[in-house]
Amino acid sequence: DEIEDNNVAGFTDKTLELLLDASAEFDIKILVQIPAYQSRTNQTIYKDIKYLHSKYFSHPSYMKIDNKPVVIIYDPHEVTNLYKSFIFLKEENISCFFIASVVEKYHVATAYEDGFNSVFTYFASEASTWCSNISNWKLLKKDCKERGIGFIPTVGPGYNDQKIERWNREKVRNREAGNYYERMWKAAIKTNPSIVVINSFNHWFEGTQIEPALE
């Protein structure tokens, strides 16, 4: 496994175990997003999900939709023949609810063909991508509905990652004293979604935290 090869799995496992156990007290559900990582392929993702299945999917605090454990895959359009991973998993009776992040309009078709159940727009920086442009959400929702997959809009209170990307001014989105966040929520609600992603908190270094954050 890529994570285990880099000696990170121990820390990740301990953190996830603590989150799952602690979340029960607050009736919160936890899920995993598989990020982009070096040498990521359909085979490594297949192994990742088998590992999650063996360790976490049965935990009562792991999030499920339609009684299936939810797994988000970031930028799956960058993975060749990803659909094969899903086929192999089904052959082993591992059934998940897969959510794909999408950037360009055609990524919805790619996600559908790979076998995803839903897509989400991911970025809190409004209009930084075609799919994160709220003026395109009505069309995106229609496209998803016609293909029989879910559409999940992503909202955020603002965006400023210049602390880590010093010259990345074009993606900065001013908070507008809360108006930016409200506008994104209104656009999300207009799509009549069953799920909305709030891209915040973990990305405090990108200026997306709702409340003030301390290092």
Side-chain angles (χ1 to χ4, degrees):
D1 216 320
E2 184 69 24
I3 294 176
E4 290 178 315
D5 290 343
N6 288 310
N7 297 315
V8 181
F11 173 80
T12 303
D13 276 327
K14 287 177 183 177
T15 303
L16 191 51
E17 287 166 6
L18 286 169
L19 283 170
L20 285 165
D21 290 342
S23 65
E25 181 182 350
F26 304 97
D27 196 26
I28 293 172
K29 302 299 180 184
I30 304 294
L31 63 88
V32 169
Q33 175 175 277
I34 298 177
Y37 54 77
Q38 189 175 10
S39 302
R40 187 178 67 161
T41 65
N42 62 340
Q43 291 94 344
T44 64
I45 289 176
Y46 164 73
K47 291 178 182 177
D48 292 339
I49 295 168
K50 279 197 68 175
Y51 182 76
L52 292 171
H53 172 73
S54 68
K55 291 207 67 173
Y56 302 113
F57 287 168
S58 61
H59 196 289
S61 290
Y62 195 94
M63 184 176 178
K64 294 179 177 65
I65 296 176
D66 297 334
N67 207 32
K68 297 177 182 178
V70 181
V71 177
I72 293 176
I73 300 181
Y74 177 75
D75 280 357
H77 48 270
E78 295 183 349
V79 182
T80 304
N81 296 327
L82 182 57
Y83 72 93
K84 291 183 178 179
S85 301
F86 296 173
I87 291 172
F88 294 150
L89 290 164
K90 284 183 179 178
E91 288 175 350
E92 298 184 32
N93 293 318
I94 300 174
S95 183
C96 300
F97 190 97
F98 289 110
I99 300 174
S101 70
V102 287
V103 178
E104 302 294 342
K105 181 181 179 182
Y106 74 90
H107 290 162
V108 174
T110 303
Y112 169 74
E113 290 165 1
D114 278 335
F116 280 88
N117 303 92
S118 195
V119 301
F120 81 121
T121 57
Y122 183 77
F123 289 103
S125 177
E126 199 269 324
S128 61
T129 69
W130 194 92
C131 290
S132 68
N133 189 331
I134 61 176
S135 64
N136 295 328
W137 283 359
K138 185 177 179 181
L139 182 60
L140 267 174
K141 174 66 181 280
K142 182 175 180 290
D143 190 11
C144 290
K145 187 175 181 180
E146 289 174 351
R147 298 177 191 276
I149 61 176
F151 170 67
I152 303 172
T154 301
V155 303
Y159 190 89
N160 187 342
D161 66 355
Q162 288 186 291
K163 288 183 179 180
I164 54 173
E165 297 288 345
R166 189 176 175 186
W167 308 111
N168 200 17
R169 293 192 182 97
E170 70 275 6
K171 290 186 179 179
V172 172
R173 300 293 181 268
N174 193 290
R175 290 173 177 260
E176 303 170 20
N179 290 325
Y180 177 91
Y181 193 39
E182 183 177 358
R183 189 167 62 253
M184 290 201 83
W185 264 109
K186 285 181 177 178
I189 290 168
K190 281 183 180 179
T191 67
N192 193 29
S194 57
I195 301 171
V196 175
V197 168
I198 303 173
N199 192 343
S200 182
F201 188 69
N202 283 350
H203 290 261
W204 59 268
F205 54 85
E206 293 173 348
T208 64
Q209 76 278 5
I210 297 171
E211 298 292 333
L214 296 175
E215 293 185 19

